[in-house]
Amino acid sequence: MKTLLLLRHARPTRTSSTGRDFDRPLTVEGRAESQLVGQLLRRRQLTPDAIICSTAVRARETADGVIEATGFATPLLFRERIYEASVEQLIELISEAGADAEMLLVVGHNPGLEELLERLTGEHAPMLPATLARIDLNIHAWDELRHAARQGQLLFTLSPQAT
């Protein structure tokens, strides 16, 4: 059994100093949201074995806020490919995770995360900024994810914006 945690980056600014979407930082609210998600992970005792994070500024800042709030010493792996990734690209990236990782946290973007959740569970759930989703998968290795369409169980989606 593997557990996949999907986290859409927290609320970003509308623009960046460079004018590039990739460089948009979090708003003050977004930084607070990342801390809330970290507190939620800690309360639910969800400690990922690795965090795979987009290199976009807003995703990196979200992951930093989560780690700060949890105190986890979890390895943080940055992957540029997450930015604007399709479902197939996300599955390929997650499939590369080591077999010893039982729980992964992926910090990324929509529409990819929302579409991945639907592909794996058959359920549609909106992934607003800072939404965390937990999917349990009846697989033994991450490279089996390619064949796990609609076989995952969505246990929850939680969003600080919904509270």
Side-chain angles (χ1 to χ4, degrees):
M1 174 78 77
K2 300 286 186 187
T3 298
L4 180 61
L5 301 172
L6 301 177
L7 174 59
R8 182 175 174 199
H9 62 77
R11 201 175 331 190
T13 60
R14 295 192 187 276
T15 60
S16 71
S17 59
T18 66
R20 292 179 6 155
D21 177 71
F22 187 86
D23 296 329
R24 291 190 300 146
L26 295 181
T27 61
V28 171
E29 296 84 5
R31 287 192 292 279
E33 290 168 351
S34 69
Q35 293 281 319
L36 287 170
V37 170
Q39 293 167 14
L40 185 142
L41 286 168
R42 191 177 62 233
R43 276 196 312 270
R44 290 188 176 229
Q45 299 179 332
L46 296 171
T47 307
D49 297 303
I51 300 171
I52 303 171
C53 182
S54 165
T55 55
V57 172
R58 59 192 178 272
R60 290 191 334 247
E61 289 181 352
T62 298
D64 288 344
V66 167
I67 289 170
E68 181 181 313
T70 60
F72 293 160
T74 303
L76 179 55
L77 312 168
F78 292 106
R79 299 293 184 263
E80 189 172 344
R81 310 185 274 172
I82 296 175
Y83 182 72
E84 296 185 343
S86 67
V87 172
E88 290 75 20
Q89 291 166 322
L90 289 170
I91 288 172
E92 179 181 325
L93 184 131
I94 295 165
S95 293
E96 296 169 1
D100 57 330
E102 296 299 319
M103 182 181 296
L104 289 179
L105 171 59
V106 176
V107 183
H109 312 269
N110 264 353
L113 291 183
E114 201 168 285
E115 292 170 357
L116 177 61
L117 183 150
E118 190 165 351
R119 169 84 57 92
L120 294 176
T121 67
E123 296 184 45
H124 176 76
M127 294 288 289
L128 300 171
T131 296
L132 176 71
R134 177 181 175 170
I135 302 170
D136 282 354
L137 299 151
N138 193 18
I139 58 175
H140 301 289
W142 291 106
D143 63 359
E144 297 173 38
L145 193 64
R146 293 178 181 98
H147 309 291
R150 300 189 184 282
Q151 295 179 26
Q153 180 181 9
L154 178 62
L155 295 186
F156 65 76
T157 61
L158 297 169
S159 173
Q161 291 187 29
T163 58

